[in-house]
Amino acid sequence: MFSREVRCLDLDDWHAADPVRVTTTAAQVADSLPLAIGVATRQPPDRLRPLMEALTLTLAGPDVDADARERVSVADPKKAYDELALTVERHPQAALALGQLLRQTPSLGTLPGLAAEAAAYSMLLGGSEFAAWLAGRGATRSPEPDRPLVRVERDGGRLSVQLDRPERRNAFSFRMREELFEALEIAALDATIDEVELTGAGPVFSSGGDLAEFGTAKDLVAAYLVRLERAPWRLVDRMRERVTVRVHGAAVGAGIEMAAFAGRVVASPDTFFLLPEMAMGLVPGAGGTVSVPRRVGRWRAAWMMLSGARVDAGTALRWGLVDEIGDHDG
């Protein structure tokens, strides 16, 4: 499949390539707008590492050692490429924005990285791809319960914070995000709190952003600034050595984006992870282009964000997206 937004490099054909050609092509790939995806059915030689590091990601077949962070193991690399190319064809604006974003955020500090992400996210909120998703959504907004959406308990130096909106699978509404920010701010301002634990009530940790509120922002510049100033994930990052996040059931979108900032993430065996924003014509907007690449590398992050594929707990542990698999106590 041919697309001007994505290019395929068959790495099997590069095994005998001259080192100068490898280096030159790697520099060209790193400085180009289209996504560049490698396909490998045989183990690439070490001399191809500069090229593989420059690519958006590499799809590796079963006979390829997939321990390297720039590779994602799939049953059929060429089929997987065609599927990714189709996604890019359907959402070229979001895909190209994501590709460029992931080349920046891993080398930036947290705030500059979040600022770059928020700018891209806000821009795409005004784009045609998100408008098309919004037009076909058909969801209605349900009233929120007249009770706190985030529960906070303190026991000495330990602060327990729980997302408590199980009827909406702990989807992040504007109100929940604000309550979570205020809860985490307690620990950020109090040095006597030496341990923060974040959990979710009900069957899942979080299903991500509340889709019923998507597209309701009237001023995208104001929304950009609020997304930076009142971001709970900034506080998680600031206190990362004190924060443990326990995820279960599902950690989708903002759920895993925020959790990945924590110093320790514990997943129950049934947990799956999913970054679905591309299907909406968006990029992650809860810090995911900063936090997830820090844990799994920008290549596997690109795979998760472009494909929208589910990642199970075992894979998440091997990749470093989580630090431990443990039983869920809730």
Side-chain angles (χ1 to χ4, degrees):
M1 178 180 294
F2 175 79
S3 169
R4 61 189 178 88
E5 289 87 16
V6 61
R7 299 286 187 268
C8 178
L9 272 77
D10 190 336
L11 294 175
D12 293 351
D13 296 337
W14 282 74
H15 283 212
D18 180 85
V20 174
R21 183 187 175 208
V22 171
T23 303
T24 301
T25 304
Q28 292 172 344
V29 166
D31 195 39
S32 63
L33 181 60
L35 305 181
I37 298 175
V39 170
T41 62
R42 295 183 290 137
Q43 182 70 27
D46 288 343
R47 73 173 69 92
L48 294 186
R49 180 162 296 280
L51 179 57
M52 296 179 69
E53 290 178 347
L55 295 172
T56 304
L57 67 117
T58 291
L59 300 167
D63 295 332
V64 177
D65 178 5
D67 286 342
R69 300 178 91 196
E70 69 270 10
R71 304 174 196 165
V72 177
S73 183
V74 295
D76 186 337
K78 294 180 180 179
K79 179 181 178 182
Y81 170 80
D82 286 342
E83 291 171 351
L84 278 186
L86 184 59
T87 296
V88 175
E89 183 180 337
R90 289 171 175 167
H91 308 286
Q93 296 172 353
L96 291 177
L98 176 67
Q100 291 304 307
L101 196 56
L102 287 176
R103 290 191 180 278
Q104 301 173 48
T105 50
S107 62
L108 297 175
T110 298
L111 183 56
L114 291 178
E117 178 186 279
Y121 186 89
S122 297
M123 174 186 69
L124 291 168
L125 282 177
S128 59
E129 294 172 10
F130 177 67
W133 175 84
L134 204 60
R137 176 184 57 175
T140 57
R141 185 171 180 174
S142 57
E144 291 191 321
D146 186 20
R147 58 171 174 75
L149 303 181
V150 175
R151 299 201 174 272
V152 184
E153 294 183 5
R154 180 168 181 175
D155 182 7
R158 177 188 177 88
L159 189 74
S160 298
V161 181
Q162 184 179 64
L163 308 179
D164 190 23
R165 200 187 180 205
E167 68 280 358
R168 292 285 291 167
R169 298 170 66 83
N170 294 326
F172 279 93
S173 62
F174 298 138
R175 184 180 143 204
M176 175 183 266
R177 185 179 67 185
E178 188 64 22
E179 287 186 22
L180 180 60
F181 184 90
E182 292 175 356
L184 293 172
E185 196 172 35
I186 295 172
L189 297 174
D190 188 345
T192 66
I193 296 176
D194 51 28
E195 184 179 358
V196 180
E197 183 174 83
L198 178 59
T199 60
V204 305
F205 173 70
S206 175
S207 59
D210 189 343
L211 299 186
E213 293 186 348
F214 277 43
T216 58
K218 303 302 181 185
D219 186 334
L220 297 184
V221 176
Y224 161 81
L225 294 174
V226 169
R227 185 169 292 277
L228 285 179
E229 183 180 5
R230 305 294 290 180
W233 28 98
R234 278 187 66 192
L235 298 180
V236 174
D237 177 72
R238 188 182 306 169
M239 303 183 294
R240 60 180 295 107
E241 298 307 321
R242 292 190 276 163
V243 179
T244 295
V245 180
R246 297 185 180 275
V247 299
H248 69 283
V252 176
I256 183 54
E257 295 174 52
M258 177 180 65
F261 278 113
R264 181 167 173 252
V265 181
V266 181
S268 63
D270 68 326
T271 311
F272 71 85
F273 306 87
L274 180 69
L275 293 168
E277 292 88 353
M278 187 61 52
M280 307 172 199
L282 298 173
V283 297
T289 64
V290 178
S291 63
V292 176
R294 285 180 181 177
R295 282 184 163 270
V296 307
R298 69 169 177 84
W299 306 272
R300 287 170 173 168
W303 162 253
M304 291 182 68
M305 295 169 191
L306 287 169
S307 70
R310 287 192 180 198
V311 171
D312 61 32
T315 301
L317 182 63
R318 289 194 303 274
W319 286 3
L321 187 59
V322 304
D323 303 293
E324 181 183 336
I325 295 179
D327 293 333
H328 173 55
D329 298 329

